């Protein structure tokens, strides 16, 4: 399945070894993860500025992801969709990559579920969603 993992989930995956870490590992092994330069840049910026990760460690994470995901250019929208314009880039990435879903902890994005043909799920909802898709 093609899916987008939002920056906040990626951050949680690399900062803490919990649910998001296991989810990202599973998705990278079992699915086609779609990302954009915007998402990877936002990840790098947040890891270094908010979480004080070294530039070198953050770049290593970026390179790891670049080698494991499909990079697409987010489609632009004619008008702003989300309260936070950065979230439009996540939606645009999903549409450009023909993703089935976005996994995010962002309440603004979650409130849009679904957006066009893209389901928007929390990390906690993903396992049940995945099971429904595979069994249905």
């Amino acid at each position: 399945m093609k899916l987008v993992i939002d920056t906040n989930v990626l951050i949680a995956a690399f900062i803490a070894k919990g649910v998001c870490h296991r989810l990202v590992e599973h998705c990278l092994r079992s699915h086609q993860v779609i990302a954009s330069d915007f998402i990877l840049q936002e990840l790098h910026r947040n890891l270094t500025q908010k979480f004080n990760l070294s530039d070198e460690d953050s770049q290593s994470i970026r390179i790891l992801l670049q080698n494991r995901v499909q990079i697409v250019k987010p489609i632009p929208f004619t008008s702003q969709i989300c309260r936070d314009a950065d979230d439009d880039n996540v939606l645009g990435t999903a549409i450009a990559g023909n993703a089935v879903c976005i996994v995010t902890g962002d309440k603004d994005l979650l409130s849009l579920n679904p957006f066009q043909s893209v389901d928007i799920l929390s990390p906690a909802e993903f396992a049940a969603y995945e099971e429904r898709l595979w069994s249905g």
Side-chain angles (χ1 to χ4, degrees), residues 41-74:
Q41 288 169 1
E42 184 178 51
L43 175 64
H44 173 73
R45 185 176 61 252
N46 284 312
L47 287 174
T48 56
Q49 293 176 6
K50 291 184 179 178
F51 294 95
N52 298 317
L53 215 62
S54 72
D55 188 61
E56 183 179 322
D57 287 345
S58 181
Q59 286 297 347
S60 293
I61 290 169
R62 182 185 178 128
I63 291 166
L64 170 81
L65 289 173
Q66 282 177 316
N67 290 328
R68 307 274 311 272
V69 304
Q70 178 186 352
I71 305 292
V72 299
K73 183 177 180 183

Side-chain angles (χ1 to χ4, degrees), residues 2-135:
K2 290 183 173 187
L3 59 98
V4 171
I5 301 173
D6 194 6
T7 309
N8 56 58
V9 176
L10 291 170
I11 289 169
F14 288 102
I15 296 298
K17 302 294 184 199
V19 171
C20 291
H21 180 79
R22 289 187 299 276
L23 179 133
V24 169
E25 278 191 337
H26 168 73
C27 289
L28 289 171
R29 276 193 318 270
S30 304
H31 300 292
Q32 185 174 3
V33 177
I34 309 294
S36 61
D37 285 333
F38 172 84
I39 290 172
L40 295 178
Q41 288 169 1
E42 184 178 51
L43 175 64
H44 173 73
R45 185 176 61 252
N46 284 312
L47 287 174
T48 56
Q49 293 176 6
K50 291 184 179 178
F51 294 95
N52 298 317
L53 215 62
S54 72
D55 188 61
E56 183 179 322
D57 287 345
S58 181
Q59 286 297 347
S60 293
I61 290 169
R62 182 185 178 128
I63 291 166
L64 170 81
L65 289 173
Q66 282 177 316
N67 290 328
R68 307 274 311 272
V69 304
Q70 178 186 352
I71 305 292
V72 299
K73 183 177 180 183
I75 63 148
F77 297 105
T78 55
S79 61
Q80 189 169 325
I81 308 293
C82 298
R83 186 171 50 95
D84 179 354
D86 286 348
D87 290 342
D88 287 2
N89 286 299
V90 176
L91 295 172
T93 298
I95 300 298
N98 296 311
V100 173
C101 68
I102 297 169
V103 182
T104 183
D106 186 306
K107 289 179 178 32
D108 288 340
L109 283 172
L110 289 166
S111 71
L112 296 175
N113 183 39
F115 178 76
Q116 295 184 11
S117 62
V118 179
D119 293 318
I120 305 173
L121 314 159
S122 71
E125 296 169 320
F126 181 74
Y129 175 83
E130 180 183 40
E131 189 173 312
R132 279 194 311 275
L133 282 183
W134 292 125
S135 66

